[in-house]
Amino acid sequence: MKPARLLLLLSGCALLLAPAVRGCGPGRVVGSRRRPPRKLIPLAYKQFSPNVPEKTLGASGRYEGKIARNSERFKELTPNYNPDIIFKDEENTGADRLMTQRCKDRLNSLAISVMNQWPGVKLRVTEGWDEDGHHSEESLHYEGRAVDITTSDRDRNKYGMLARLAVEAGFDWVYYESKAHIHCSVKSEHSAAAKTGGCFPGRALATLEDGARTPLWALRPGQRVLAMDGAGKPTYSDFLTFLDKEPRALTSFHVIETLEPPRRLALTPTHLLFMAENASAPASLYRPTFASRVRPGHFVLVAAGGEGLQPAEVVGVWNRRDVGAYAPLTRHGTLVVDGVVASCFALVQDQHLAQLAFWPLRLYHSLVGWPGAQGDGVHWYSGLLYRLGRLLLPPDSFHPLGVPWVES
């Protein structure tokens, strides 16, 4: 095994077994030393973070078009009535309160940080969604993905630290744009979900051991689902946990369609599924491939009832949006979704390495059993493992859409 891969595996074990990780409840772990709080450094005037242009892949991403009240995309905006945030709303239309869910989540998190940093001070929003054309062409304000903020006391000496708190709150791009405000923006809802890893729609179906089919969102740890073993044979594998779980995210999926037999699988571009260039290849030699690289004429593996797994030619590939994004992890690292064999992994085009890297998590579940209710978002283990991988593996090991996630 290559040294970098071995180090990645050992690091995963260390992360999983570290006392600080196990001590996830309130308070510190008994016997551990209290760490001093990390010092936050204010942003300088005209500084932005990350240090790339706003509408690039490494920041908030491309502009996708203005949202009007009568447009189909208006439903992507949600009002923010957080009492801990002051909205200037100079238009008296409530427009400044409208924003994408991702922007709302980051703004609410920042509001808490502001009150903790300066007791008695609140976060203030001076500009949010713009429906009147007051900003520059292709401004993310037109999509509800950007806000301009100050503190409620309008103390400009606080603005550099306010910008830093916005970075810590998870905004995808923060700019100390003016002496009068801080500009913050986020990725679009569907591109953000695609970039956090590989997922399927929540309503996609898995097959249980008794033959029943269940939507992915309803899976429970300990259930056994149809999957593929290392020899390319169908098997039933324990469902362990979700590596990513975003029930409300509006997500952009790649749809892979076959005709003989007819199957239609939706998954994010960074997700892996098993592909061959001709139908004669044995199932064990189908190689894991990013969904974004599958083309008509390629072959994927599909479940065919009592006949096991068989090749099916891809006849169409297109994009669609859907709500909800789920990334199930099974003991075998594979599962059959909507009749098509797919990997549980994404971002790195190496099924064997991913399966090895998640071995400590599988061992953990074997030892302690099934966890309770799982919260939304990226699983802490896959998040930390991804960051380790970015340090240890060559940059070209990753799908390009995965790069901004670690930066944000």
Side-chain angles (χ1 to χ4, degrees):
M1 184 183 295
K2 294 182 179 179
R5 296 187 176 192
L6 179 60
L7 184 56
L8 183 62
L9 176 60
L10 294 177
S11 299
C13 295
L15 283 171
L16 193 67
L17 301 177
V21 170
R22 293 203 303 270
C24 56
R28 60 194 179 101
V29 181
V30 176
S32 67
R33 180 177 298 175
R34 187 183 298 275
R35 295 181 179 179
R38 182 165 60 92
K39 184 179 180 180
L40 297 178
I41 301 174
L43 263 65
Y45 179 55
K46 292 297 181 181
Q47 181 182 355
F48 42 86
S49 178
N51 190 29
V52 295
E54 180 180 28
K55 293 190 281 290
T56 58
L57 192 62
S60 293
R62 64 185 178 86
Y63 174 73
E64 297 187 350
K66 187 174 182 178
I67 295 179
R69 287 185 185 268
N70 60 355
S71 68
E72 176 69 19
R73 293 180 60 207
F74 184 69
K75 64 184 179 182
E76 296 178 19
L77 304 182
T78 182
N80 190 331
Y81 295 113
N82 189 335
D84 296 323
I85 303 175
I86 298 172
F87 291 88
K88 185 178 179 182
D89 194 21
E90 58 190 354
E91 298 89 357
N92 292 318
T93 62
D96 287 340
R97 293 183 181 272
L98 292 173
M99 57 196 68
T100 65
Q101 185 65 46
R102 184 177 180 84
C103 188
K104 180 179 178 179
D105 291 342
R106 273 56 178 175
L107 199 67
N108 289 343
S109 177
L110 177 58
I112 296 172
S113 300
V114 167
M115 292 188 296
N116 289 337
Q117 183 75 21
W118 302 292
V121 176
K122 289 186 176 183
L123 177 63
R124 175 172 173 261
V125 175
T126 61
E127 291 285 346
W129 174 57
D130 180 3
E131 60 180 330
D132 299 321
H134 292 158
H135 290 83
S136 61
E137 187 178 1
E138 297 193 353
S139 168
L140 297 186
H141 283 284
Y142 297 134
E143 296 184 62
R145 291 165 53 192
V147 288
D148 293 341
I149 58 173
T150 72
T151 54
S152 59
D153 59 2
R154 307 185 199 183
D155 181 356
R156 297 186 179 188
N157 293 322
K158 293 184 172 78
Y159 290 0
M161 180 56 73
L162 177 63
R164 173 55 61 189
L165 294 177
V167 173
E168 297 296 314
F171 279 97
D172 297 304
W173 198 72
V174 178
Y175 180 27
Y176 195 164
E177 181 178 34
S178 160
K179 293 287 187 179
H181 70 261
I182 305 299
H183 175 82
C184 310
S185 62
V186 298
K187 302 178 190 299
S188 67
E189 293 293 280
H190 65 279
S191 67
K195 291 174 178 57
T196 57
C199 302
F200 306 96
R203 60 180 177 176
L205 299 176
T207 303
L208 301 178
E209 195 167 18
D210 62 3
R213 304 181 79 192
T214 182
L216 297 185
W217 65 262
L219 284 175
R220 298 293 179 267
Q223 289 182 312
R224 290 169 60 79
V225 296
L226 184 60
M228 182 177 72
D229 64 17
K233 304 294 184 183
T235 187
Y236 286 94
S237 185
D238 293 328
F239 165 66
L240 303 177
T241 188
F242 288 108
L243 300 181
D244 196 357
K245 180 184 175 188
E246 304 283 353
R248 298 181 301 275
L250 181 64
T251 307
S252 180
F253 293 101
H254 260 48
V255 180
I256 312 293
E257 183 177 18
T258 67
L259 275 184
E260 297 180 1
R263 299 287 187 271
R264 187 175 290 176
L265 172 68
L267 70 174
T268 47
T270 60
H271 207 101
L272 297 178
L273 75 161
F274 298 94
M275 184 274 289
E277 294 184 354
N278 60 75
S280 61
S284 59
L285 295 184
Y286 274 61
R287 64 180 185 272
T289 305
F290 292 129
S292 62
R293 296 177 181 171
V294 175
R295 299 288 184 267
H298 289 163
F299 289 82
V300 295
L301 291 170
V302 301
E307 301 177 15
L309 305 179
Q310 68 178 59
E313 185 177 359
V314 175
V315 296
V317 178
W318 70 91
N319 294 324
R320 84 157 193 246
R321 291 187 183 186
D322 208 334
V323 175
Y326 291 77
L329 175 66
T330 67
R331 195 170 298 280
H332 285 79
T334 63
L335 77 164
V336 174
V337 179
D338 287 335
V340 182
V341 180
S343 170
C344 293
F345 307 119
L347 297 173
V348 177
Q349 196 167 276
D350 191 325
Q351 176 76 12
H352 181 65
L353 173 61
Q355 184 73 342
L356 279 176
F358 279 92
W359 172 80
L361 187 61
R362 295 195 300 275
L363 176 63
Y364 175 81
H365 282 292
S366 297
L367 295 176
V368 305
W370 314 113
Q374 181 180 347
D376 296 346
V378 178
H379 193 287
W380 66 266
Y381 183 82
S382 54
L384 290 175
L385 202 62
Y386 178 73
R387 286 168 170 81
L388 280 172
R390 292 291 301 162
L391 294 173
L392 299 174
L393 299 176
D396 59 2
S397 300
F398 296 86
H399 193 289
L401 288 181
V403 174
W405 182 53
V406 72
E407 296 172 351
S408 61

